[in-house]
Amino acid sequence: MIVVFLGPPGAGKGTQCKSAVDRYGLRHLSSGDILRRERQEKSDLGKKAQTYMDAGQLVPDDLIVAMMMKEFENHSDAGFILDGFPRTIGQAQALDQALKKNNNSIDAVLNLQVDDDKLEQRVTGRRSCPECGTAYHLLYNPPQKQNLCDNSCGELDQRPDDTAEVVRNRIDAYHKQTAPLVDYYQKQGNVRLLDGNLTIEQVTLKLFDIMDSLLP
Ligand code: AP5
Ligand code: MG
C-alpha cells in the first residue's frame, strides 16, 4: 500500500501517520523527519536545508527529490506512508515517474484539512521527545509530567521552526506551493478527504475506515 498524506503544518500528519504505521505495518517516510536527521548529522544536505527550514520555506525540489529517491531505494521492500512529500507539483511528478518505473502507483492521497486559525496553536504547543520521537501537545495531548517524556527518556524539545512567526511562513508556503496538489491528485481520482479539525482520536477512527477500505 502506498499512501500520501497532504495537509498544512500542524494538521496532524505525523500524529496520524504513527497510528497508521502501527496498525498496517507500513513504513513512515517523513521528509521533515529525514531533513531534521540530516541536520543533526551535519551532512551537506542538512547544511543546505537549514536556512530554508528555519525560515519556514520549502527546501528546493532537486535536493528533496534526490533525498526521497534514496529512501525509496533503501526501503523498496515495504508499503509506505508518505508524510510531507510531495509538496510541490514538481515533486509529485518526480514521484509518479519513479513509481511508474517500478510498476507501482499511489493507492490514496489523504487530504487532512484543518482551519488556518487552529494551526498556529497546534504548532506552537507541540513538544517532542528527542530520544524516542514521541510527540505531545501542551493542551491537546500533554505529557503526564510537565515537559518530561512519558517513556522516561527525559526532557521534551520544541522544534526551532515552531514559532508563531515561522509558522505563518510555513502556512503561506503550504497554500501557495502544496495546496495545488489536491487538484493534481483529484485528476488522478485518488483523493480522500479527512477532517483534521476533530480530536486526534476521532481523526484516527476516520483514517482507519479509509485505510481499511483500501485493503485487498
Ligand atoms: P515538516 O516536518 O513536514 O513540517 P510541516 O509540514 O510543517 O508539518 P508539521 O510536522 O509541523 O505538522 P504535522 O501535520 O505533522 O502535525 P503533528 O502531527 O506533529 O517540514 C518541516 C520543514 O522541512 C518544512 O517547513 C520545509 O522547510 C522542509 N520540508 C519538509 N518536507 C519538504 C518537502 N517535501 N519539500 C520541501 N521542503 C520540505 O501535530 C502538530 C501538533 O498538534 C502536535 O502537538 C499534536 O499533538 C497536535 N495535534 C495533532 N492532531 C491534533 C488534533 N486532531 N487535535 C488537537 N491537536 C492535535
Ligand atoms: Mg510532521
Side-chain angles (χ1 to χ4, degrees), residues 21-88:
V21 159
D22 291 347
R23 182 174 159 109
Y24 299 98
L26 299 171
R27 205 176 284 276
H28 179 198
L29 291 181
S30 155
S31 47
D33 286 350
I34 299 165
L35 286 169
R36 280 182 284 278
R37 199 178 62 215
E38 294 282 341
R39 285 182 63 165
Q40 222 168 13
E41 289 168 0
K42 299 194 180 352
S43 69
D44 269 0
L45 171 61
K47 286 179 197 158
K48 283 180 189 154
Q50 188 162 334
T51 332
Y52 298 99
M53 294 172 81
D54 288 347
Q57 295 165 355
L58 295 189
V59 176
D61 278 358
D62 55 338
L63 297 178
I64 294 289
V65 169
M67 171 183 96
M68 293 308 289
M69 294 306 139
K70 210 163 105 193
E71 288 291 321
F72 296 144
E73 275 163 29
N74 292 342
H75 303 299
S76 58
D77 52 323
F80 43 87
I81 181 159
L82 291 171
D83 164 4
F85 174 85
R87 223 138 142 151
T88 63

Side-chain angles (χ1 to χ4, degrees), residues 16 23 25 38-39 45 55 89 103 114 151 170 177 180 184-185 188 194:
Q16 298 301 334
R23 182 174 159 109
E38 294 282 341
R39 285 182 63 165
L45 171 61
I89 299 283
N103 285 325
V114 176
N151 303 327
R170 288 161 58 196
Q177 292 167 279
Y184 175 90
Y185 283 121
Q188 298 185 5
L194 198 53

Side-chain angles (χ1 to χ4, degrees), residues 105-117:
S105 60
I106 296 168
D107 293 285
V109 175
L110 300 166
N111 181 18
L112 185 60
Q113 287 196 335
V114 176
D115 301 335
D116 272 6
D117 58 3

